[in-house]
Amino acid sequence: MNRIEGRVKVTGLATYAAEYPAEGVTYAYPVQSHIAKGRVKRVDSGPALEMPGVLAVLSCEDPPDLAEDADPELALFQRREVAYRGQLVAAVVADTYENARAAAAALRVDYDPDDHDVRLHPEHPGLYRPEVVNPNFPSDTGHGDVEEGLAAAATTVDVTYETPVLHNNPMEPHAALALWDAEGRLLVYDTAQGSSTSRDMIAKTLDLPPDRVRVVARHVGGGFGSKGTTRPQAVLAAIAAREVGRPVKIVLTRQQMFDVTGYRTPTIQRVRLGADAEGRLTALEHVAYEQSSTLVEFAEQTATPSRVMYGTPALRTAHRLVRLDVATPSWMRAPGECPGMYALESAMDELAYAAGLDPVELRVINDPETEPDSGLPFSSRNLVGCLREGAHRFGWEHRDPEPGIRREGEWLVGTGVAASTYPARRLPCKAVATVRDGDFLVQVAAADIGTGARTALTRIAAGALGVAPERVHVELGDSDLPDAPVAGGSMGTASWGSAVVRACEELRRDGKEGRADTREEIKGDARLARHAFGAQFAEVRVSSVTGEVRVPRLLGVFAAGHIVDAKLARSQFIGGMTMGLGMALMEETLTDEEFGGFLHRDLAQYHVPACADVPDVEAVWLDEQDGELNPMGSKGIGEIGIVGTAAAIGNAVHHATGRRIRELPITPAKILLPRF
C-alpha cells in the first residue's frame, strides 16, 4: 500500500505539535544551567519582566505546583540543585517567540557551583550493579564456569569496545502546545510516541486525574526513542499556560534537544570468548559499563543480546552503572541490542579470524536449540537462514578471508558480516471498530511516528474484516481514543494490531461495534523466547591516503515473522541500516569534561548519513510463519535493521585494512594513526 498520510505530508498539510492553531497563543523559552553541578543561588527576573511582551518568569524562586513524586527530570523548578549542565532552571513566557527568547537571554541566574564528575571509565569508584536493566531484566546472569571454559578453549579473545554518547535527532524538534479550558481540563499537543502514556505522565506530574488531561499527537516527525517518554517541554507548556491563563507553545531548539531529550549512554564493553578446535563456544562473557544521571537511574540493557545469540556451556553477562553529573540517558533506537550487538558481533569476528574460521560458519556452528540464558524454546528462530541467504546474495563464497590485501588504486576493499536480533514483544492494548456510513472506523490511541502505523493498521483491519482497505478509516494519535502502548520497542504494530484484529472480529459478530482489550489474551501467551533475527553484510572501501571510509553496499536479510506490508517494511529496514552506518562511521557526541555538558550540539557538528553515503542498500526477508506471536504472526521491524550494521561495517573495515578499530565511530583519524 501507499502511505495513507503520504499526500498530506508531502503537501505540508499534516499538522505537527507546534503547528496547531490557538487563539491568543503565547510562547515559552527555557533558560538552561551554565554549570554542571551546584545550586541556583538567585534568579533575578526583573530585567526580563521589563522587556516587551513578557508575561511571566517561571523559576525556583516561586516553584509551580507539581506532584511530590514527579519524575526528577520533569519536576521543573522544584529544587535549587543543579544536576547537569543544560538543565532547565527557568523559563520566560511572552507574546512572541522572539520576545520570549530575548527576555530569556536577559534573565540573570547566579549559581554556587560545585566540582563535577562527567567521565565514564571502567575503574570509576562509583560503579555499582543495578538491580535491573531496562525494561526489567536482571542486571547479571550466568551459568557454567567461564574461567574453566576459557582455560579449556583452543582459541580465545579478550577485547574491549567503546561506543560514544549518541543522540536521536528526529527531524521534528520536541515541541508542545498547552491549553486549559474553563473546566480545568488540559489539552496538550505533544511530540509523543504514545498519547496514552504521555497523558498519564503529564497527569501524574501535575497531580491531576488522567481524565483531566488529553494529549494529541496525530503526526510525529520521528522519535527513535527520544519521544517515547514525556519530555520537559510538555510539562513546561502546561505549567506556563496555567500561570498566564493563555495557550502556551514551546519548541526546543536543536541545541536544547541535545541536553534535555535523552541520549544513548556511552558504553565500555569487555567481551571474552573461547572456542574449541571446531569453533564451538566454550565460554562467553559480556560485561558492560555505562552511565546515568544523579537524578534518575536509567540502566541500558547492553549485554542482554549475549543471552540470546549463541549456545555455550559457560555464559556470564553483567552491567555496571555509575551516576554522574550528566543528563539522564534514555531510549535510542534498539536500546541495549544496538551497542551490545556491536561489541558481541565484533568479538565474534575476531574469534573467527583467530580460529581460522569463516565468520558466517562460526555463527552457524554456534546457533542454539533454545535460548541460551533462559533455556526457553524459541517461537521461531531463523538466524541460520538469514546468514545463508545473505551470503548467497552477497557473493560471500568468493571472499578471500585474508585481510588487507585487496586494493584498487588508493582504495582498500573489504567485506564484513554480523548477526542481529531484537525481541518480539507486545503489550496490552484497546481498540474499537464501528460501522460508519457503510464503511468502517477503527479507533486506537496508537502513534504514527513516521513508520506508517496508519497504513499498517488499515491493512490489518481490512484483512480482519474481509474488505478492501479503501473502506477502512483508522483514527489514532489522541489519548481520548482507546488506550494504546507507546510506539517503541518494535512492539507497536504487534500490540495495536492485536487489539484491532480482535475488535474487528467482534464487529463481524455483532454487526455494529466491536471492542477489544488484549490484556487477558496476552497474560495467556505461552512462555517462549520471541525474537526477530537478521544478518547484515557490508562492503567498504577505505582510502589509504585520507582514511575515508565509503560503504558502496549494504545488505540485510531478516526473519521477522509475517510482513504486514512490503513497502513499509523495506523503508523500516533500510532506515535502520542507514542509522547503523551513521553509528559506525559518523555519529558521536563529545562530553566537555572541563565544564560539563556536550560539545556537539547541532547537526553541523553531529554528523548523520545522507543519501550519497548509502548508494546501494538492500533489505530482504524470509517468509517466516510464527503462530505464537499475535493474530498477524508479525514481529517488530523498526529496530532490528540498526542492530548488526555497525559491527558488519567495522568487520569489513578490518577485512579491508587489517586493522581493528574498537572505538566508534570509525573515523579517518583512527584509521590513519598509525598509518598503513
Side-chain angles (χ1 to χ4, degrees), residues 426-442:
R426 63 172 176 161
L427 290 178
C429 182
K430 299 177 182 178
V432 174
T434 55
V435 177
R436 179 172 293 185
D437 299 327
D439 284 337
F440 302 92
L441 174 65
V442 175

Side-chain angles (χ1 to χ4, degrees), residues 629-643:
L629 300 167
N630 51 61
M632 301 81 63
S634 64
K635 298 178 180 179
I637 59 174
E639 294 171 279
I640 193 171
I642 191 176
V643 170

Side-chain angles (χ1 to χ4, degrees), residues 141-143 145-147 150 157-159 161 269-274 281-289 303 306 312 314-318 320 343-344 347:
T141 64
H143 63 255
D145 189 321
V146 168
E147 300 302 333
L150 291 171
V157 296
D158 182 348
V159 285
Y161 300 91
Q269 302 176 61
R270 185 183 181 190
V271 180
R272 296 197 294 166
L273 301 173
L281 289 175
T282 59
L284 190 166
E285 182 183 61
H286 188 172
V287 181
Y289 302 88
S306 290
T312 175
L315 172 66
R316 176 177 179 257
T317 65
R320 296 297 178 264
L344 175 63

Side-chain angles (χ1 to χ4, degrees), residues 15-31:
T15 307
Y16 293 84
E19 299 173 335
Y20 284 89
E23 187 175 345
V25 68
T26 63
Y27 298 82
Y29 194 88
V31 177

Side-chain angles (χ1 to χ4, degrees), residues 52-70:
V54 174
L55 303 173
V57 172
L58 304 175
S59 77
C60 59
E61 298 293 349
D62 184 15
D65 290 333
L66 297 177
E68 291 185 2
D69 61 346

Side-chain angles (χ1 to χ4, degrees), residues 336-352:
E337 278 73 14
C338 187
M341 284 291 283
Y342 160 69
L344 175 63
E345 290 301 293
S346 298
M348 286 291 286
D349 198 67
E350 297 206 40
L351 180 65

Side-chain angles (χ1 to χ4, degrees), residues 161-164 166 264 337-346 349 416-420 536-538 540 549 551 554 576-587 640-654 660-661 663-666:
Y161 300 91
E162 297 186 28
T163 62
L166 298 174
R264 195 193 300 282
E337 278 73 14
C338 187
M341 284 291 283
Y342 160 69
L344 175 63
E345 290 301 293
S346 298
D349 198 67
V417 64
S420 55
Q536 328 277 62
F537 293 79
V540 303
V549 181
V551 183
L554 276 178
M577 292 166 67
T578 304
M579 290 185 77
L581 183 145
M583 175 183 176
L585 302 180
M586 305 172 188
E587 296 187 49
I640 193 171
I642 191 176
V643 170
T645 306
I649 291 172
N651 295 339
V653 168
H654 168 260
R660 277 290 169 192
I661 311 297
E663 179 184 349
L664 293 183
I666 301 170

